[in-house]
Amino acid sequence: MTFKLDEALKLVDEARIIQLASEVIRIPSISGNEKDVMEYAIQLLEEIGVHVEVHGSTERPIIYACLNPEAEKQVIFNGHLDVVPIAKPDAWSKDPWTPLVEGGKLYGRGASDMKSSCAVMIHLLEILKKLDLPISVGVHLVPDEERGAAEGSRILVNKIVAGELRRPDYVVIGEQSNLQVRVAERGMFGFKIKFYGRAAHTAAARTNGINAIAKASKGVLALEHHIDKFHEWIGHPMLSVNLIEAGTVSNQVPAECTITVDRRLIIGETADDVVAEVTADLDKAGEGDPDWNWEIIADKDEEGNWKYTPANYTSPDSDLGKAFIKAVPAALKRDPELYVTWAGSTDGRLYRQAGIQTIGFGPIGKYAHGPDEFVYIDSLVQMTKVWVALALELST
């Protein structure tokens, strides 16, 4: 591997990475309007001369492209080309759709999340096409990740499960991971808690009314705290109360108040564990209150179990995990580190749910979804080198 890797790493071209990333950043592609950027990516891939298939719809194309489509093993790099809207244009000090290189950073909407990584995937295929690897290396470039992936990666994974699209042996997610190996993602359990009071005229609020908002406020304070659990692959769990609904008119004490809770789970946690913890917190908060009355509301399956998404992971001891553990030091001359931080979910969860070994490895950037979003260019170069080393490692 050493000779081939040294030779391959010389093909990593920083200027080409900046060029490709700038070109895709320049094409606005807010979720739902990705057609132009997807068609441009198709053009680039066809120019390389790799196998290209287009799935999805005419308006929202999904790209599957690969080298050596008939090879026995395959690794796929997944990236999304949709971005979130510009919430407040005047908060940007630069034009979000005009890529700018400044101080070792590439600025623009999608620079960090995650058009630059998609550009690197295209450059990776350019590099690997020049090498004779006995493995298929490909990309899934998708729309709709920012809105849940129903029109993107979920379509591809459903086709894989149905046997309509090649099942990759390994998947790499190019979302930002600060050049650390991301083997796990938190699960998700969304639910509501309804607090009950008693309606009354405002004039009689202290005699006849029981204010459900006041009860809910006490409940929110009881739930908003650090959860003292930790998993070495994923970090801490998280709970946040993100919506509150109550009241009908301004002169009536509200009889009900509903809060919406977003709970992120670590490996080993279940929805039943969460409900038990929430119940304990609320029972403690309501001690001595004769008017303390609430219930948890969430979807259940046909057997009466809570519907939720468990934490998902690919062990560092898996074939893909071991390959990353070797590829990082081979490319960067340093020990690999696991990505354990406060991060949201990626499309990687869909591949893992289909039983496919999936690990994230992406660049370093800041301000994703916000003004002056950027990615560090040197991290894109380092990421490319690790991906090249990974492809060679999986080829052995």
Side-chain angles (χ1 to χ4, degrees), residues 11 18 23 83 85 90 95-96 120 164-165 176 188 197 280 289 291 317-318 339 362 367 380:
L11 300 174
I18 294 172
E23 287 173 355
V83 297
D90 59 2
D95 181 353
V120 167
E164 299 170 4
L165 184 67
Q176 177 178 331
M188 295 176 283
D289 184 348
D291 299 318
D317 291 327
S318 65
Y339 182 73
Y367 311 133
L380 293 175

Side-chain angles (χ1 to χ4, degrees), residues 1-37:
M1 175 178 171
T2 304
F3 174 75
K4 278 193 173 183
L5 178 59
D6 290 343
E7 180 181 284
L9 293 183
K10 293 177 183 177
L11 300 174
V12 175
D13 186 339
E14 178 178 313
R16 179 60 170 163
I17 292 170
I18 294 172
Q19 177 192 4
L20 288 169
S22 298
E23 287 173 355
V24 292
I25 289 170
R26 190 173 283 111
I27 304 172
S29 56
I30 294 169
S31 295
N33 294 282
E34 307 97 339
K35 181 179 180 180
D36 289 348
V37 74

Side-chain angles (χ1 to χ4, degrees), residues 78-248:
N78 171 286
H80 66 89
L81 282 165
D82 64 316
V83 297
V84 298
I86 309 301
K88 192 176 180 184
D90 59 2
W92 285 71
S93 64
K94 302 139 176 50
D95 181 353
W97 305 115
T98 303
L100 173 68
V101 174
E102 183 178 274
K105 307 168 187 174
L106 174 61
Y107 288 88
R109 171 56 82 229
S112 171
D113 185 16
M114 62 171 292
K115 286 186 170 183
S116 296
S117 290
C118 294
V120 167
M121 292 174 194
I122 294 170
H123 183 46
L124 178 70
L125 294 184
E126 291 177 333
I127 293 169
L128 297 182
K129 193 170 191 298
K130 299 174 183 178
L131 307 177
D132 185 21
L133 299 183
I135 187 173
S136 177
V137 180
V139 298
H140 288 171
L141 297 180
V142 302
D144 200 44
E145 190 273 348
E146 297 291 1
R147 292 185 182 175
E151 300 298 322
S153 290
R154 193 176 295 277
I155 289 176
L156 292 182
V157 173
N158 287 343
K159 288 191 172 189
I160 289 168
V161 172
E164 299 170 4
L165 184 67
R166 174 165 182 174
R167 181 184 183 88
D169 298 275
Y170 317 106
V171 171
V172 176
I173 302 295
E175 294 272 17
Q176 177 178 331
S177 74
N178 301 332
L179 298 177
Q180 296 171 319
V181 182
R182 187 178 187 185
V183 300
E185 297 180 19
R186 292 175 181 82
M188 295 176 283
F189 180 31
F191 56 94
K192 295 182 178 183
I193 306 174
K194 182 176 287 188
F195 293 85
Y196 294 96
R198 184 168 60 238
H201 193 290
T202 298
R206 297 292 174 265
T207 55
N208 296 331
I210 299 174
N211 193 319
I213 292 178
K215 302 300 181 184
S217 299
K218 187 160 62 174
V220 170
L221 293 176
L223 297 176
E224 285 278 336
H225 62 81
H226 175 67
I227 302 170
D228 191 18
K229 294 181 180 180
F230 183 83
H231 192 283
E232 61 181 345
W233 297 351
I234 203 170
H236 296 280
M238 171 58 71
L239 180 149
S240 182
V241 178
N242 293 341
L243 291 172
I244 185 165
E245 303 168 90
T248 54

